[in-house]
Amino acid sequence: MIEENCETFVSDCHVRAAVELINHTWDPVILSALRSGPTRRKDLLHRIAGVSDKVMTESLRRLSSRGLVTKTADGSRRDTAVYELTGLGASLTGGPLAQLATWAAENQAALSATS
Amino acid sequence: MIEENCETFVSDCHVRAAVELINHTWDPVILSALRSGPTRRKDLLHRIAGVSDKVMTESLRRLSSRGLVTKTADGSRRDTAVYELTGLGASLTGGPLAQLATWAAENQAALSATS
DNA sequence: CCGGGTTCCCACCGTTCGGTAGGAACAGGC
DNA sequence: GCCTGTTCCTACCGAACGGTGGGAACCCGG
């Protein structure tokens, strides 16, 4: 599906690929939340109000499978699982995602006015 | 829904708001396609392979209602309708969206490897 | 007048996504 | 042992999204 567009609009294909990384409702929020460092699942759920348990699991798995987040457990214990940004994830959150947040903050007035 | 997160994660709220502007499959592609200047609907459909007529209409309407795109018609004629980026839309496509595309291009190998 | 091209709308279908509810597995404190 | 907290998983449901098919309105060239 993406490849078709690559034939016509190469740069757009990249945009598409990138947007698909974050186009799930909570993924960007979780990524941003992880910028403060390795975080446990419980703390993520606590900090991000409104996200359900299932969605958090799904998002973390999705982000993990895409190489943006790693799950690190101390030994085999379950309740010590810690999620952390990978280099790729950090470059995404620190670069484009931060840009997006900055842009949104600067244009907040215009956005809320039109919505 | 967004406001709840704002209480806890202010910057994340902005990310959310921005992502919601582009989290529809074809919206970013259409926005990027419009960077080359005012474009007619037909040309957009022709250039972006894979997008359906309905989705194009929906996306254009959505982008228009959010102030990212304007629809300009020469008089009352229907087939001269031209879509164009607004200042807001241009700042989004030229800034964060371009950043995202650049990032995606740079990390293309890592992305395709993990997917 | 008539056919083709263009814009736009509507109704329907299948898939995906987010949310809820419930439970299993595991560790620690009482 | 028992209860609690935490991490996951598994159904299900409703809503939203993308895609298809069909058609209406409009303009132009034959």
Side-chain angles (χ1 to χ4, degrees), chain A residues 2 15-16 32 70 78-79 82 84-85 101:
Chain A
I2 295 181
V15 173
R16 269 284 304 267
S32 299
T70 51
R78 295 185 77 175
D79 56 345
V82 164
E84 193 174 356
L85 288 177

Side-chain angles (χ1 to χ4, degrees), chain B:
Chain B
M1 183 186 268
I2 294 182
E3 288 72 15
E4 304 172 14
N5 304 317
C6 287
E7 300 171 5
T8 53
F9 264 144
V10 178
S11 64
D12 300 352
C13 163
H14 298 148
V15 173
R16 269 283 305 264
V19 167
E20 283 187 355
L21 285 179
I22 57 175
N23 85 9
H24 288 262
T25 307
W26 298 103
D27 289 10
V29 185
I30 296 174
L31 283 175
S32 299
L34 285 173
R35 272 200 290 179
S36 46
T39 313
R40 277 180 296 139
R41 193 192 140 88
K42 178 197 73 167
D43 297 329
L44 286 175
L45 281 171
H46 188 253
R47 274 200 281 185
I48 306 175
V51 64
S52 72
D53 168 60
K54 191 198 74 167
V55 173
M56 176 64 75
T57 301
E58 282 178 356
S59 292
L60 286 173
R61 227 213 287 273
R62 187 170 35 239
L63 296 171
S64 177
S65 78
R66 288 173 177 167
L68 299 173
V69 161
T70 51
K71 174 183 176 182
T72 315
D74 297 350
S76 62
R77 294 176 51 176
R78 291 186 79 175
D79 56 346
T80 58
V82 163
Y83 295 90
E84 193 174 356
L85 288 177
T86 63
L88 194 63
S91 74
L92 176 59
T93 58
L97 222 52
Q99 279 268 333
L100 210 56
T102 302
W103 179 87
E106 288 172 355
N107 298 279
Q108 199 175 12
L111 294 179
S112 54
T114 54
S115 67

Side-chain angles (χ1 to χ4, degrees), chain A residues 39 41 60-61 64 69-74 77-78 80-86:
Chain A
T39 314
R41 193 191 139 89
L60 287 173
R61 229 213 290 273
S64 177
V69 161
T70 51
K71 175 184 175 183
T72 313
D74 298 350
R77 294 176 49 175
R78 295 185 77 175
T80 58
V82 164
Y83 295 89
E84 193 174 356
L85 288 177
T86 64

Side-chain angles (χ1 to χ4, degrees), chain A residues 45-98:
Chain A
L45 282 170
H46 187 252
R47 274 200 282 185
I48 306 173
V51 65
S52 73
D53 167 57
K54 191 199 72 167
V55 173
M56 177 64 77
T57 300
E58 282 178 356
S59 292
L60 287 173
R61 229 213 290 273
R62 185 170 35 240
L63 296 171
S64 177
S65 78
R66 287 172 178 169
L68 299 173
V69 161
T70 51
K71 175 184 175 183
T72 313
D74 298 350
S76 62
R77 294 176 49 175
R78 295 185 77 175
D79 56 345
T80 58
V82 164
Y83 295 89
E84 193 174 356
L85 288 177
T86 64
L88 194 64
S91 74
L92 176 60
T93 57
L97 223 53

Side-chain angles (χ1 to χ4, degrees), chain A residues 7-8 10 12 20 24 27-28 41 44 48-49 63-65 84-85 88 103 106 108 115:
Chain A
E7 301 170 6
T8 53
V10 177
D12 299 352
E20 284 188 353
H24 288 263
D27 289 11
R41 193 191 139 89
L44 285 175
I48 306 173
L63 296 171
S64 177
S65 78
E84 193 174 356
L85 288 177
L88 194 64
W103 179 88
E106 289 171 354
Q108 199 175 13
S115 67

